[in-house]
Amino acid sequence: MNSLGRKTGRCIVVPTDFQQPARRAFGYGIKLARLLGVRMEIVHVIKTPYDMPGSPPSSRYLDSVKTSALLDLARLTRIAKEAGVQAEPSLQFGVPDACILRYANHARAEVIVMGTEGRTGWDRLRIGSTVEAVVRQAPCPVLAVHGGLARDVVHHPARVKLARLLAATDFSPCADQALQAVSALARLTQAKVCVVHAAGKGASKKDGQRKLNVLMEELRRQGLEEVEGFWIPGEPIETILSQAARWESDVVSVGTQGRRGLSRLVLGSVAEGVLRRAGCPVLVVKNAHRLSVPMLDTKGDAQADDAHH
């Protein structure tokens, strides 16, 4: 169950520490796997002081933890299969972020879905070192699902809402990548799309609105029927968060270069602030040479009918 051998076929990776934020993320993982028609890899990491590609030496404590983790993984795998998703569990040993990243690379994951704001589990994280490291180095988009969401969706993935998607843009290539991911997801779910440009001090409204109109036209050409854009002056983080709350967004998307962590996001501290404070899941899409939004390259094989459940 801890093999890192290359698997064939498309997949998403859903790390879990079995705590509440991870349980919520698991529901989103099922939803995305059904929409995209891909396999779900459910990964749990038993934390050790250093990475161990294989099982560490046996001990009474470790054997007990391992047994408990295997039972929990089996339970989640069963839930996923009952929801119509092909799922495989994997138990890893080592540093959580390193294990997750290594696994995602070997599995050639199309997206990583993980919980944030854990009050127990991986180092009492909010966004924390594990999520930050995964966002920084992931070879694919990361959907971060906050633990503060109102409902438990583990047993009810149909309750996961992906009907209203908001994309923040600064008109950079990274923001364009994030917007394309939102566009593709919206076509699967028939979602409404809101594009927000938070204009800083001294920004030209005429120029910003012109660029926004170009984006709107491109999205409509891609087949989106319900799309709107907002040029809003003000402090970017507060503007994006306020618009997301006002628009009742189900997901907020931001782009990143992924070079030196959240401090080097193209939207800079803006993206970090959105990731930390958004009241809904945040999709972080990296502008990396490996990325061409593979998670949403559906080519007609996704289960679009899931959008109506």
Side-chain angles (χ1 to χ4, degrees):
M1 191 173 283
N2 59 1
S3 172
L4 284 176
R6 176 67 58 81
K7 294 183 174 66
T8 60
R10 302 167 62 202
C11 77
I12 65 173
V13 169
V14 182
T16 181
D17 61 359
F18 311 122
Q19 303 301 319
Q20 184 74 346
R23 292 201 299 270
R24 300 196 190 285
F26 183 76
Y28 281 81
I30 289 178
K31 183 77 169 185
L32 276 181
R34 289 183 61 175
L35 281 170
L36 300 172
V38 301
R39 184 181 72 253
M40 175 190 288
E41 298 281 342
I42 308 168
V43 180
H44 176 68
V45 181
I46 293 180
K47 189 172 182 179
T48 59
Y50 50 90
D51 282 334
M52 297 178 174
S55 297
S58 179
S59 70
R60 181 175 299 178
Y61 167 75
L62 194 58
D63 289 345
S64 174
V65 172
K66 181 178 177 180
T67 298
S68 177
L70 289 173
L71 289 172
D72 284 332
L73 281 171
R75 177 179 57 84
L76 292 178
T77 302
R78 183 177 65 254
I79 292 172
K81 290 181 177 179
E82 289 173 352
V85 173
Q86 181 185 354
E88 296 184 17
S90 178
L91 183 61
Q92 303 290 312
F93 299 87
V95 179
D97 57 88
C99 288
I100 293 166
L101 289 165
R102 182 169 59 246
Y103 195 92
N105 270 291
H106 278 268
R108 299 193 65 81
E110 299 191 8
V111 62
I112 297 170
V113 182
M114 62 190 306
T116 68
E117 295 187 347
R119 298 183 184 278
T120 57
W122 292 329
D123 294 333
R124 304 178 71 85
L125 296 174
R126 283 190 177 273
I127 181 170
S129 58
T130 298
V131 176
E132 181 175 337
V134 170
V135 169
R136 179 174 68 243
Q137 301 177 57
C140 58
V142 177
L143 180 66
V145 181
H146 294 276
L149 293 173
R151 59 189 180 276
D152 192 338
V153 295
V154 173
H155 293 279
H156 304 283
R159 295 180 183 176
V160 172
K161 292 185 178 181
L162 298 173
R164 300 177 68 84
L165 313 178
L166 183 145
T169 184
D170 59 359
F171 308 117
S172 68
C174 296
D176 288 345
Q177 285 272 36
L179 185 58
Q180 288 307 306
V182 165
S183 173
L185 183 57
R187 292 196 299 274
L188 284 176
T189 61
Q190 298 182 357
K192 297 179 180 179
V193 173
C194 174
V195 183
V196 176
H197 174 61
K201 186 177 180 180
S204 167
K205 181 174 182 179
K206 182 178 180 180
D207 183 56
Q209 191 64 58
R210 177 185 60 79
K211 293 179 179 179
L212 201 55
N213 290 340
V214 170
L215 289 181
M216 296 300 98
E217 287 303 314
E218 175 59 27
L219 291 174
R220 293 186 181 101
R221 282 196 296 271
Q222 293 175 8
L224 300 189
E225 296 181 359
E226 297 191 70
V227 57
E228 52 188 322
F230 295 90
W231 184 96
I232 305 176
E235 196 279 324
I237 295 176
E238 298 302 330
T239 298
I240 294 168
L241 293 174
S242 295
Q243 182 61 22
R246 186 181 305 113
W247 204 69
E248 298 182 335
S249 305
D250 295 320
V251 173
V252 173
S253 178
V254 293
T256 170
Q257 286 183 329
R259 290 180 177 174
R260 294 184 184 175
L262 296 178
S263 63
R264 290 297 299 274
L265 289 172
V266 166
L267 296 179
S269 59
V270 175
E272 182 177 359
V274 171
L275 190 56
R276 287 178 180 271
R277 296 172 52 193
C280 64
V282 177
L283 178 65
V284 182
V285 181
K286 189 185 303 180
N287 185 24
H289 64 88
R290 272 189 61 180
L291 179 65
S292 56
V293 198
M295 66 167 283
L296 298 171
D297 182 16
T298 61
K299 293 184 174 60
D301 62 354
Q303 300 173 17
D305 60 325
D306 186 58
H308 303 295
H309 292 297

